[in-house]
Amino acid sequence: MKRNSGVSGSNRRFGHGAWARAALAVAGIGAIGAASVLGPGAWAQAVPGEYVGGAGRGQLQRDADAVRDTGASGLVVQARDAAGRDREARSGVADLEEGGSVPFDAYYRIGSDTKTFVAVVALQLVAEGTLSLDDTVEEWLPGVVTGNGNDGSRITLRNLLQHTSGLANYTDILFADPAQLTPENYLAQRFTAQTPEEQVALAMTRAPGWLPDARDPGAETRWAYSNTNYVLAGMIIERATGHPWEQEAHERIIEPLDLRHTMTMRTSSYVPQPTATGYLQFPGQEELTDTTLSVGGGADGGIVSTTSDMNTFLRALMDGTLLPAEQLTQMRTTVPADFGSPGAGYGLGIAWRPAEGCDAGVWFHGGTSFGTSSEAAVTPDGEVSAAAAVFTTRLGDQERFLEQAEATVAMIDRAVCG
């Protein structure tokens, strides 16, 4: 059940707040790409797209080309229908200097789409009785969330998974000064990782936006996106199970679903081959910088996958394969959220938005890393889904960032909803 209900029939739209959040809330940043810097016109010549699949061929390819035309260096998208048939399209190039097509099976960092995996692990543990959504952070991590008005006894696991904790976003603090977001600094830090404890400690240097009601913290509906929430969720999973969140995600999701191209990278800065070069436009820069090498984050954004595996995961989530009915209902109980679309609501690690052509809307999350944007959506019954990787992100051009984001979501929604 939703605590808010959206109205179907409008596409997701990105406002200034969405851009700022994506620009400064990239999960797990601590790595910098190779020093290749390319001029802004390097991708301007249209590269013929390539499509694989049956019905819907023209529209999917046109939509992929439209994303490329916003300035994306390259992208790949896969749509899967109710019969399990795949359609795929790609556009642009794998590398601005060397050219080539983006591989259909390209690996990419899914960024904050990782949060959905972590929420599934937590909810499985709830179903087993190991955790409760009403457990407080203080119960599992005593003394970790404290100082400057922060109080772990007022924040539950539900608050963490739903972004209703009020906790400061550690990445906002890490990148409080946009002047520090430079190709040079990125290059110098490309193999530097922070521990979860360091990330949480950084968040504790700021007062919370609010404290949930002590009498019923789980009823909190104030919402603000914070990567800190999922860093803490990962720490709680480890404390509760005795295993890193990565192991639990592998044994509970990746292995049972046979996601052979999905992996947790921990502190590795590399993405397996085949992939495409990821590019970032830094603030104040016209050029794109090759940022393929990067430490990819933890429980807030540390998974690498493919479009095919993402489709398999989302369908298994929505059709009840991964969660009992009670926990899936809890996951899909939303609060109003400024998450890219009018009428959007955020559940536990997954969000809902209205989508033209889908009367029941679509479930989604999305992820942004330095050089890659991950976007996917699935129908509530799990029958139809689509996933895409776009290998360009922009922190230096808000207008083009929004154009690319809107074109990508339009492509995904049309692929899912027709």
Side-chain angles (χ1 to χ4, degrees):
M1 297 195 239
K2 298 184 178 70
R3 294 181 214 172
N4 72 309
S5 59
V7 179
S8 63
S10 63
N11 287 329
R12 180 183 182 191
R13 295 175 183 174
F14 292 78
H16 295 290
W19 176 81
R21 184 168 61 252
L24 293 179
V26 177
I29 301 304
I32 302 305
S36 172
V37 179
L38 302 121
W43 69 90
Q45 182 177 359
V47 179
E50 184 178 351
Y51 175 90
V52 173
R57 167 178 181 171
Q59 187 62 62
L60 188 62
Q61 187 60 61
R62 285 193 297 272
D63 288 342
D65 290 343
V67 176
R68 176 205 64 203
D69 290 345
T70 66
S73 57
L75 69 141
V76 61
V77 56
Q78 182 192 80
R80 189 168 296 168
D81 67 16
R85 295 170 299 199
D86 292 337
R87 294 177 290 130
E88 296 179 303
R90 57 188 175 186
S91 194
V93 294
D95 185 273
L96 293 178
E97 287 188 331
E98 298 181 5
S101 298
V102 178
F104 282 121
D105 57 349
Y107 289 92
Y108 60 97
R109 296 189 184 278
I110 67 171
S112 285
D113 273 321
T114 299
K115 292 178 172 67
T116 311
F117 285 78
V118 173
V120 169
V121 171
L123 286 167
Q124 286 189 3
L125 292 169
V126 169
E128 294 163 8
T130 303
L131 291 174
S132 167
L133 288 173
D134 295 325
D135 288 348
T136 67
V137 175
E138 184 66 18
E139 289 177 62
W140 286 103
L141 304 172
V144 172
V145 174
T146 189
N148 292 305
N150 293 287
D151 184 352
S153 70
R154 297 273 294 273
I155 297 169
T156 66
L157 179 60
R158 185 191 301 275
N159 295 137
L160 296 180
L161 298 180
Q162 196 150 46
H163 295 298
T164 57
S165 69
L167 291 172
N169 188 351
Y170 80 89
T171 50
D172 285 350
I173 303 168
L174 194 61
F175 301 117
D177 182 4
Q180 296 299 309
L181 285 167
T182 66
E184 294 77 18
N185 285 345
Y186 189 62
L187 178 63
Q189 299 169 26
R190 67 193 185 276
F191 293 101
T192 302
Q194 288 184 315
T195 66
E197 291 77 13
E198 289 171 333
Q199 292 166 342
V200 173
L202 186 59
M204 294 303 103
T205 65
R206 298 285 178 87
W210 63 83
L211 284 173
D213 190 331
R215 294 167 297 180
D216 188 7
E220 180 63 63
T221 60
R222 286 173 290 184
W223 186 91
Y225 195 87
S226 176
N227 288 308
T228 309
N229 291 321
Y230 275 77
V231 175
L232 286 164
M235 294 169 69
I236 289 173
I237 289 169
E238 181 167 359
R239 183 65 60 89
T241 65
H243 305 139
W245 72 268
E246 295 97 331
Q247 179 176 342
E248 292 296 323
H250 180 88
E251 294 178 354
R252 294 172 176 272
I253 304 171
I254 296 173
E255 188 171 10
L257 295 182
D258 198 26
L259 304 180
R260 298 191 179 189
H261 304 287
T262 299
M263 59 202 71
T264 56
M265 302 304 291
R266 298 203 66 125
T267 58
S268 174
S269 294
Y270 299 95
V271 175
Q273 295 292 330
T275 189
T277 302
Y279 295 99
L280 177 70
Q281 181 186 3
F282 284 94
Q285 303 282 326
E286 290 294 325
E287 300 83 4
L288 293 178
T289 300
D290 176 349
T291 54
T292 307
L293 291 178
S294 63
V295 171
D300 56 333
I303 289 180
V304 165
S305 191
T306 63
T307 56
S308 181
D309 274 10
M310 284 298 294
N311 278 316
T312 299
F313 167 63
L314 289 173
R315 291 158 69 92
L317 175 57
M318 287 295 125
D319 72 13
T321 299
L322 289 174
L323 289 175
E326 180 181 353
Q327 279 66 47
L328 185 56
T329 296
Q330 291 169 332
M331 175 178 249
R332 301 202 299 191
T333 300
T334 66
V335 297
D338 177 18
F339 203 57
S341 175
Y346 198 95
L348 305 184
I350 199 164
W352 178 90
R353 67 170 178 254
E356 186 174 358
C358 284
D359 291 341
V362 296
W363 291 92
F364 74 104
H365 199 283
T368 305
S369 58
F370 270 25
T372 308
S373 176
S374 171
E375 196 70 52
V378 61
T379 53
D381 57 12
E383 289 196 354
V384 184
S385 64
V390 184
F391 291 91
T392 307
T393 55
R394 296 180 184 276
L395 306 186
D397 189 330
Q398 178 177 353
E399 182 177 353
R400 296 184 79 176
F401 173 92
L402 294 174
E403 288 176 355
Q404 179 181 306
E406 289 172 345
T408 304
V409 169
M411 174 181 67
I412 291 293
D413 282 359
R414 217 165 358 244
V416 174
C417 301

